[in-house]
Amino acid sequence: NSLSDLLIFSADISVAEKVKIICNRKNITIKDLAESLGTTRQNLTNKLSRDNFPEKEMVKICKALDCSYNSIITMNDTDEQI
């Protein structure tokens, strides 16, 4: 697989699925992640099912998972990244 294939594949996965994949790879349960975020397993499970995370919350989740969160918007006409 080329890097571009991986990036396209990554873009096709929901944020919730990405969180679940990382938890699985790091052997962290949703309950453990929820506790580290100061919430309940049920609350986090509900958020994962809605797949609607504000950027601020994603930063907290990634910090709890010892990951980096990079939100980059690229303007298609200029390729400028913001």
Side-chain angles (χ1 to χ4, degrees):
N1 286 345
S2 70
L3 180 58
S4 61
D5 289 340
L6 291 173
L7 292 174
I8 291 168
F9 177 72
S10 177
D12 291 339
I13 300 174
S14 71
V15 171
E17 284 302 312
K18 291 177 186 181
V19 170
K20 291 175 187 177
I21 289 168
I22 294 167
C23 284
N24 186 42
R25 289 185 183 172
K26 292 182 170 273
N27 295 314
I28 297 172
T29 66
I30 297 301
K31 180 181 179 187
D32 292 338
L33 177 58
E35 288 175 0
S36 69
L37 295 171
T39 190
T40 64
R41 179 202 53 79
Q42 183 176 7
N43 187 32
L44 182 56
T45 299
N46 288 339
K47 288 182 178 187
L48 289 168
S49 69
R50 289 192 305 270
D51 192 39
N52 187 8
F53 295 94
E55 189 167 356
K56 189 175 187 177
E57 192 165 7
M58 280 307 304
V59 171
K60 289 180 184 178
I61 290 170
C62 288
K63 184 176 180 181
L65 293 171
D66 192 29
C67 295
S68 298
Y69 178 76
N70 301 307
S71 176
I72 299 171
I73 299 172
T74 303
M75 296 174 51
N76 292 330
D77 56 346
T78 63
D79 287 333
E80 179 183 4
Q81 292 184 337
I82 300 172

